[in-house]
Amino acid sequence: MVKKRIFWVLLLLGSLVLLALPAGKWTKANVTTLQSFHNSKLSPIIMIPGSSATENRFDELIAKINETSLKKHSLLKVKVYNSGKMVFKGKIAAKDNEPFIVVGFENNHDGYSNILQQAKMFSKAFNKLTEDYNFNNFKGIGHSNGGLIYTAFLEKYYAKTNVSIKKLMTIGTPYNFNEASLQHKTQMLADFIKAKDKLPKDLSVYSIAGTENYDSDGLVPARSVEAGKYIYQGQVKSFTEITVTGQEAQHSDLPQNQQIIDLIERYILDKNQRPDPNGNR
């Protein structure tokens, strides 16, 4: 009888050990993943082009930054198709902690309904990027409607992620579409203002306007860019408006504008990645 009891006790202990082994492996694997996530040094700059533009929109801008950067930034491009398919081109270099990632869309058309669709598509691409590259923070740049896509993403989808956005720069973004007066708010602007409490509180935002003739950049009214303050000001850590004039201040030239490149190097790039103002390396 005693031997029988010992047998059952040993059998029970053996079963518990066998059950504990896979649980231990699972716990160890998850702890390792979490440590990797929180210790990640990767802090990409994720860029979204405007309407009618592709994932190649920022090629010249990135090339100009790499001409003077202390460390060269690698480039990964993502194109999101209406079917949900994603095509990746380029790669993130092994030792590059601050790569550029550009996300473009098959549906790159203008219009509020399209912007909402693009924000949803960006959210899916963003989730895929965080899954593949395991970064815990990033910076954003949006040109024209790209800034609207970012705004919709931050209000609708960002809270569901575990990743922190540190800085956002929008360039020539028409927060009130083609309206030249702040007295008339479009439905999009009204919706953005209504949901502004969803914006991350620790975010620094820089809104850049180009003025070709003091009133607009040739396409987007300066007042429409200015409308961004009704969305971001008082909701995020800081909101800064900057106006660029002179050569290449026209809307389509803004991503290549040297003044804007200087602003990106000053406000978006990490300090150890910026060129020395005195030309030293």
Side-chain angles (χ1 to χ4, degrees):
M1 190 69 177
V2 173
K3 289 182 179 180
K4 193 172 183 180
R5 287 180 179 177
I6 292 174
F7 170 80
W8 285 111
V9 169
L10 291 175
L11 183 62
L12 178 61
L13 289 174
S15 299
L16 290 173
V17 170
L18 289 173
L19 288 171
L21 285 175
K25 289 181 180 179
W26 181 88
T27 302
K28 185 177 180 180
N30 277 269
V31 168
T32 301
T33 300
L34 288 171
Q35 287 176 339
S36 175
F37 178 81
H38 289 293
N39 294 334
S40 173
K41 295 181 179 180
L42 190 65
S43 181
I45 300 168
I46 304 180
M47 312 172 84
I48 304 178
S51 61
S52 301
T54 71
E55 63 277 8
N56 302 318
R57 183 66 178 91
F58 299 102
D59 285 1
E60 186 175 346
L61 181 155
I62 295 168
K64 285 185 175 181
I65 288 177
N66 275 335
E67 285 177 3
T68 57
S69 288
L70 297 176
K71 295 181 180 179
K72 303 306 177 188
H73 302 265
S74 52
L75 173 60
L76 176 66
K77 298 178 183 180
V78 186
K79 182 169 183 177
V80 186
Y81 288 84
N82 298 338
S83 64
K85 174 185 175 183
M86 299 179 201
V87 174
F88 292 73
K89 292 183 180 180
K91 65 177 182 179
I92 296 177
K95 295 183 179 181
D96 183 9
N97 293 331
E98 198 173 36
F100 286 105
I101 302 174
V102 181
V103 180
F105 311 96
E106 179 184 8
N107 168 21
N108 60 1
H109 304 301
D110 198 5
Y112 185 27
S113 61
N114 284 314
I115 286 164
L116 293 179
Q117 290 177 28
Q118 291 152 8
K120 185 175 183 180
M121 295 163 77
F122 176 75
S123 175
K124 292 179 180 179
F126 183 82
N127 290 338
K128 176 64 175 172
L129 287 166
T130 56
E131 178 184 329
D132 289 351
Y133 295 100
N134 208 31
F135 54 88
N136 55 31
N137 71 87
F138 73 105
K139 286 88 70 176
I141 295 177
H143 174 237
S144 193
N145 282 4
L148 303 179
I149 296 168
Y150 252 122
T151 303
F153 166 75
L154 291 174
E155 290 187 348
K156 292 178 175 293
Y157 304 103
Y158 172 76
K160 299 175 184 177
T161 74
N162 293 316
V163 184
S164 173
I165 179 169
K166 297 164 65 177
K167 304 170 187 176
L168 172 65
M169 179 178 286
T170 62
I171 304 169
T173 293
Y175 290 103
N176 203 23
F177 275 144
N178 293 325
E179 290 293 330
S181 171
L182 294 177
Q183 297 301 314
H184 180 261
K185 293 181 174 62
T186 61
Q187 185 62 54
M188 178 185 70
L189 177 58
D191 289 347
F192 282 158
I193 293 172
K194 185 177 180 180
K196 64 183 181 179
D197 61 320
K198 302 290 196 305
L199 294 168
K201 306 304 179 187
D202 57 350
L203 173 63
S204 296
V205 179
Y206 304 89
S207 176
I208 314 299
T211 55
E212 187 181 51
N213 57 8
Y214 302 104
D215 294 322
S216 79
D217 59 14
L219 182 64
V220 174
R223 288 288 188 179
S224 182
V225 178
E226 185 184 343
K229 66 184 180 183
Y230 294 114
I231 305 167
Y232 287 100
Q233 195 167 326
Q235 298 299 315
V236 296
K237 182 171 68 174
S238 65
F239 176 76
T240 306
E241 293 180 321
I242 302 171
T243 299
V244 169
T245 61
Q247 292 185 340
E248 294 188 323
Q250 199 271 339
H251 186 76
S252 62
D253 291 333
L254 290 175
Q256 298 82 247
N257 185 298
Q258 188 57 51
Q259 295 178 73
I260 289 178
I261 291 172
D262 292 342
L263 291 170
I264 291 172
E265 291 174 337
R266 180 177 181 181
Y267 293 116
I268 301 298
L269 296 183
D270 289 341
K271 290 182 179 180
N272 62 350
Q273 300 283 346
R274 299 176 195 165
D276 190 305
N278 299 316
N280 299 319
R281 290 188 175 272

